[in-house]
Amino acid sequence: MSLEDPVTEYFPDFHIPGAADERVTVKVLAMHRAGIPPMEPLEWSIAKKSKERDSHWYREMLRTAPNQILING
């Protein structure tokens, strides 16, 4: 296995819409730069800890959180 191998060499059914299969390498996937959309629970956790709370993104995370995000400073 090489970091430069396309992920589809090992997982033929793996596709990211809008990304050429050969561009998504093992290295890109391992570095979290493959273009896979963020998982929402992770974004909510990031929003909760964000210091930049006056932004559209932050307000949208608060609005759409499935459970209440408590803000304690």
Side-chain angles (χ1 to χ4, degrees), residues 3-62:
L3 291 175
E4 301 307 320
D5 290 341
V7 173
T8 54
E9 187 171 317
Y10 305 99
F11 301 97
D13 294 332
F14 182 85
H15 304 287
I16 297 175
D21 288 344
E22 66 274 2
R23 304 258 320 168
V24 183
T25 63
V26 173
K27 180 179 180 180
V28 166
L29 192 63
M31 295 178 68
H32 305 277
R33 297 183 358 203
I36 298 172
M39 298 181 335
E40 291 176 339
L42 178 59
E43 280 209 292
W44 291 315
S45 176
I46 292 168
K48 181 178 176 181
K49 293 176 173 52
S50 176
K51 293 180 184 187
E52 297 180 28
R53 294 188 174 162
D54 189 25
S55 69
H56 173 73
W57 170 79
Y58 175 75
R59 289 187 298 274
E60 190 64 12
M61 287 296 100
L62 290 179

